[in-house]
Amino acid sequence: MKKKLGLQSIRFEQPPVITSTAAIVGPMEGEGLLTGFFDYVMEDNIHSYASWEKCESYMIEWAVRKAVEKDNSTLEDVDYILAGDLLNQLMATHFAMRSLGRPFLGLYGACSTLAESLLIGSTLIDGGFAQKVAVAVSSHHDAAERQYRFPTEMGVQRPPGAQWTVTGSGSAVVTANGTGPRVTAATVGRVIDLGIKDPNIMGPAMAPAAVDTLWNHLNDTGRTPDYYDMIYTGDLGKVGKQLVVDMMQQKGVDVSANYEDCGCMIYREDQDTHSGASGCASSGIVFASYLYPLLRQGDLKKILLIGTGSLHSPTSYQQKESIPCIAHAVSIEQ
Amino acid sequence: MKKKLGLQSIRFEQPPVITSTAAIVGPMEGEGLLTGFFDYVMEDNIHSYASWEKCESYMIEWAVRKAVEKDNSTLEDVDYILAGDLLNQLMATHFAMRSLGRPFLGLYGACSTLAESLLIGSTLIDGGFAQKVAVAVSSHHDAAERQYRFPTEMGVQRPPGAQWTVTGSGSAVVTANGTGPRVTAATVGRVIDLGIKDPNIMGPAMAPAAVDTLWNHLNDTGRTPDYYDMIYTGDLGKVGKQLVVDMMQQKGVDVSANYEDCGCMIYREDQDTHSGASGCASSGIVFASYLYPLLRQGDLKKILLIGTGSLHSPTSYQQKESIPCIAHAVSIEQ
């Protein structure tokens, strides 16, 4: 099994190429730190749809169509779409897939879904089962808020450690051949739960899962953090990000020089999102709009993207359970 | 791309072997048509847990552990677990994975998840990324009822076309080498929605997706239905099953001689489940407890298992949306 590395990792023999990406966001994201980088910024969070959920579905469909267009391909060239979102029963994804009509594999990794979809999509290509796949993820602040917490209209005060669910969708096309950054290796995460029960503070809940996956990735591949220009986690926010640095330090590994969290790269300080961004679209839009072009231009040569997912449900919270978390990592190299 | 067949199908070069299966069920399933076939029958639907959801999580953990034990393996031999269930945010699966501690990929295909997990798991093995994977699915009547429809305790009268969500979990171990039936080919489904809006009548909603996948499977592989000893769908129930026969007939293909639905194989007529069984565990327990031993003994030599999933959510229903459906197929041959 030449493609398995260590305990949890794989390496690709003919690394699949990410040949295009696309990102669509809401107005708040469009005015944030990455202003000017997105393919499309909606004027409001509903875009004339009858519900936030349907607007989210529109975004994921738009992102897939745009990524395919930027790849100079048609939907018919896409063998499979792999996608997911945060809504119950992947509502946004499924209604988008109804319109797109391509063979589809549904994934649920909460906010780790971008990394999960890149990982599985790359195995389908390197395994010889597909020539081209599209991956996509989405989240929507208002739809997530009312599903996970309180009716959005109530405007419930958020604790300082809380994060703001990103309204947006990111998509990528992965191809067997072509030019662009390549998915060279990946690490499949385990479910880690250190007992945090407050779903308003997901960053600290997810940080141990990110550390577990990063630690195992380094062990499995024999790499040190400086192998990468940058290591990114998906949506730990300020509090979770600091925890990753501290917990890795305790293991004797310094990541402070080249580690950042996508959740800290989206909103300006004065946008008052507290601890930063969260949601499937956190890593989705940062990767699709900002990191991918940097890789493409050679300004970044090697990154490790660690998708981080908080796997609780409102039901598990009501049943007083703690928050199981997961993190999947993909190495992307120019 | 020698492993892609036609538009939506793949064939495995070194077909992965299903080396063991296990099934656990509730008392009603234990007294049904497959009585005596299950590895474990719970005495009641809660098994001393504090909630139905936690009982469902117990079942999926039990099924994975049992399948691994029957494979004469340990959990450490399992490279990855691929699993999913019907609960929001895969609650049953995630808490089971927390206990099992293995690298994990979460899937959501509603009741098509067994086929989806066998499909992706087999690509990981044939692609050279894994030596052994475990797949698992679960559903729980009471947990599903209160999530999708009404508080279970209300005892709302069910329409005649309704199906009964199976309480149970089925798991399988798939290995690169070994003896047993092999996953030889698979077809990835598309989301199909012909406009049915009543979530009490999911069989007819899913039947067109099953027909689309079956039709494309036959076209992609150049096979006729008589290539298979039997073709099984996951959980269409009586009404949906008849629709598959009729719709295939309209396409000029007769499947009446060797087609059955797992949803019609679980409950006795006098158990009053109306149109039959549904849920991820419908195909899960029928395959794990009944079909797998028949394949193993050579009483069945070639089957096509078509997992059928109704992808609606309570939110999409409340927003007056119709029901998007999907079906994934796996060929399993002795």
Side-chain angles (χ1 to χ4, degrees):
Chain A
M1 233 194 345
K2 51 193 181 301
K3 296 180 185 175
K4 181 95 190 280
L5 279 180
L7 291 177
Q8 298 178 218
S9 303
I10 55 183
R11 69 172 182 84
F12 297 102
E13 208 161 55
Q14 299 184 319
V17 185
I18 303 176
T19 46
S20 74
T21 58
I24 177 174
V25 295
M28 191 165 145
E29 292 72 21
E31 293 165 3
L33 295 172
L34 295 178
T35 188
F37 283 94
F38 304 111
D39 293 285
Y40 190 71
V41 180
M42 299 187 298
E43 282 188 21
D44 55 45
N45 261 7
I46 195 148
H47 207 66
S48 304
Y49 283 89
S51 70
W52 294 314
E53 290 78 12
K54 289 182 182 174
C55 175
E56 183 175 346
S57 195
Y58 159 77
M59 291 193 294
I60 204 164
E61 181 183 342
W62 192 94
V64 171
R65 288 191 190 277
K66 189 69 180 176
V68 169
E69 179 196 315
K70 288 167 81 176
D71 186 47
N72 297 315
S73 298
T74 64
L75 276 175
E76 286 63 40
D77 297 324
V78 174
D79 294 313
Y80 310 109
I81 301 177
L82 296 91
D85 62 83
L86 284 175
L87 296 179
N88 296 342
Q89 289 77 47
L90 309 189
M91 177 175 163
T93 300
H94 289 142
F95 285 93
M97 294 308 132
R98 182 175 69 179
S99 303
L100 294 170
R102 298 303 300 154
F104 161 69
L105 295 165
L107 309 179
Y108 188 80
C111 310
S112 74
T113 305
L114 178 74
E116 184 184 2
S117 63
L118 284 170
L119 189 161
I120 297 179
S122 298
T123 64
L124 288 175
I125 290 176
D126 190 41
F129 301 103
Q131 181 69 23
K132 191 184 286 294
V133 303
V135 305
V137 298
S138 68
S139 52
H140 190 296
H141 173 78
D142 303 291
E145 201 63 19
R146 74 167 161 190
Q147 174 180 289
Y148 278 108
R149 296 177 192 93
F150 296 98
T152 316
E153 297 86 342
M154 275 176 73
V156 169
Q157 193 172 18
R158 306 163 62 246
Q163 296 168 242
W164 188 272
T165 308
V166 171
T167 298
S169 172
S171 177
V173 172
V174 189
T175 310
N177 307 301
T179 56
R182 290 169 179 273
V183 183
T184 55
T187 300
V188 180
R190 304 184 289 181
V191 174
I192 304 285
D193 181 344
L194 294 195
I196 287 180
K197 292 194 173 186
D198 183 349
N200 282 304
I201 309 178
M202 293 182 302
M206 291 188 283
V211 166
D212 187 72
T213 294
L214 174 55
W215 175 255
N216 282 304
H217 175 81
L218 297 174
N219 278 344
D220 288 347
T221 57
R223 294 174 183 168
T224 50
D226 61 4
Y227 176 86
Y228 294 104
D229 295 335
M230 283 297 293
I231 296 167
Y232 296 95
T233 47
D235 62 338
L236 301 183
K238 285 180 220 162
V239 187
K241 174 184 154 185
Q242 189 55 48
L243 271 171
V244 167
V245 174
D246 295 347
M247 291 172 78
M248 288 302 291
Q249 199 74 62
Q250 285 169 17
K251 288 172 173 283
V253 178
D254 183 10
V255 296
S256 61
N258 61 339
Y259 161 59
E260 185 52 88
D261 179 68
C262 296
C264 299
M265 299 168 68
I266 296 176
Y267 301 115
R268 296 191 319 271
E269 201 61 42
D270 64 348
Q271 286 183 302
D272 198 25
T273 60
H274 299 352
S275 192
S278 69
C280 296
S282 176
S283 57
I285 65 167
V286 170
F287 177 72
S289 73
Y290 182 67
L291 302 181
Y292 178 75
L294 290 178
L295 284 158
R296 189 105 204 177
Q297 296 151 21
D299 296 329
L300 279 174
K301 289 198 168 53
K302 294 175 181 177
I303 71 167
L304 184 69
L305 182 66
I306 307 176
T308 41
S310 171
L311 305 174
H312 69 294
S313 80
T315 307
S316 68
Y317 169 69
Q318 286 158 6
Q319 293 184 6
K320 303 191 193 313
E321 268 292 346
S322 53
I323 302 179
C325 295
I326 199 161
H328 301 296
V330 282
S331 296
I332 304 172
E333 305 186 41
Q334 218 273 351
Chain B
M1 232 191 349
K2 50 193 183 298
K3 296 179 183 174
K4 182 93 191 282
L5 277 180
L7 292 177
Q8 299 180 213
S9 304
I10 55 183
R11 69 174 183 83
F12 297 102
E13 205 161 57
Q14 299 184 320
V17 185
I18 303 176
T19 45
S20 73
T21 59
I24 175 174
V25 295
M28 190 163 144
E29 291 73 22
E31 293 166 5
L33 294 171
L34 296 178
T35 190
F37 283 93
F38 304 111
D39 293 285
Y40 189 71
V41 180
M42 299 187 298
E43 284 187 21
D44 55 45
N45 262 7
I46 195 147
H47 206 67
S48 303
Y49 282 89
S51 70
W52 294 314
E53 289 79 10
K54 289 181 182 174
C55 175
E56 182 174 344
S57 194
Y58 158 79
M59 290 195 295
I60 204 164
E61 182 183 343
W62 192 94
V64 171
R65 288 189 188 278
K66 190 68 182 178
V68 170
E69 178 196 316
K70 289 167 81 175
D71 185 48
N72 296 315
S73 298
T74 65
L75 276 175
E76 285 64 39
D77 298 324
V78 174
D79 294 312
Y80 309 109
I81 301 178
L82 295 90
D85 62 83
L86 285 176
L87 296 179
N88 298 341
Q89 290 78 48
L90 310 187
M91 178 176 165
T93 300
H94 289 142
F95 286 94
M97 294 308 132
R98 183 174 69 180
S99 303
L100 294 170
R102 297 304 299 155
F104 161 67
L105 295 165
L107 309 179
Y108 187 78
C111 311
S112 73
T113 305
L114 178 74
E116 185 184 1
S117 65
L118 285 170
L119 188 163
I120 298 180
S122 297
T123 64
L124 288 174
I125 291 176
D126 190 41
F129 302 102
Q131 183 69 25
K132 192 184 285 293
V133 302
V135 305
V137 298
S138 68
S139 52
H140 190 296
H141 174 79
D142 302 291
E145 200 64 20
R146 72 168 161 188
Q147 174 180 289
Y148 278 107
R149 296 175 193 93
F150 297 98
T152 315
E153 297 86 341
M154 276 176 71
V156 169
Q157 193 172 16
R158 305 164 63 246
Q163 297 169 242
W164 189 271
T165 307
V166 171
T167 297
S169 173
S171 177
V173 173
V174 189
T175 309
N177 306 301
T179 55
R182 290 169 178 271
V183 183
T184 56
T187 300
V188 179
R190 303 184 289 180
V191 173
I192 303 283
D193 181 343
L194 294 195
I196 287 180
K197 292 192 170 188
D198 184 348
N200 283 304
I201 308 179
M202 293 183 303
M206 292 188 284
V211 166
D212 186 72
T213 295
L214 173 55
W215 174 254
N216 282 304
H217 176 82
L218 296 175
N219 278 345
D220 288 348
T221 58
R223 293 172 183 169
T224 50
D226 62 3
Y227 177 86
Y228 294 104
D229 294 336
M230 283 296 292
I231 296 167
Y232 297 95
T233 47
D235 60 342
L236 301 184
K238 284 179 223 166
V239 188
K241 174 183 154 185
Q242 188 55 48
L243 270 172
V244 167
V245 174
D246 295 347
M247 291 173 78
M248 288 302 291
Q249 197 75 60
Q250 283 168 18
K251 288 172 172 285
V253 179
D254 182 10
V255 297
S256 61
N258 60 338
Y259 161 58
E260 185 53 90
D261 179 70
C262 295
C264 299
M265 300 168 66
I266 296 175
Y267 300 116
R268 295 192 319 270
E269 201 61 41
D270 64 348
Q271 285 183 303
D272 198 22
T273 60
H274 300 349
S275 192
S278 69
C280 296
S282 176
S283 57
I285 65 168
V286 170
F287 177 73
S289 74
Y290 182 65
L291 302 181
Y292 178 75
L294 290 180
L295 283 158
R296 188 104 205 174
Q297 295 152 22
D299 295 327
L300 278 174
K301 290 195 166 57
K302 294 175 181 176
I303 70 166
L304 184 69
L305 182 67
I306 307 176
T308 40
S310 171
L311 304 174
H312 69 294
S313 80
T315 307
S316 67
Y317 169 69
Q318 285 159 7
Q319 294 184 6
K320 305 194 192 309
E321 269 293 347
S322 53
I323 303 179
C325 295
I326 201 163
H328 300 298
V330 282
S331 296
I332 304 171
E333 305 186 42
Q334 218 269 355

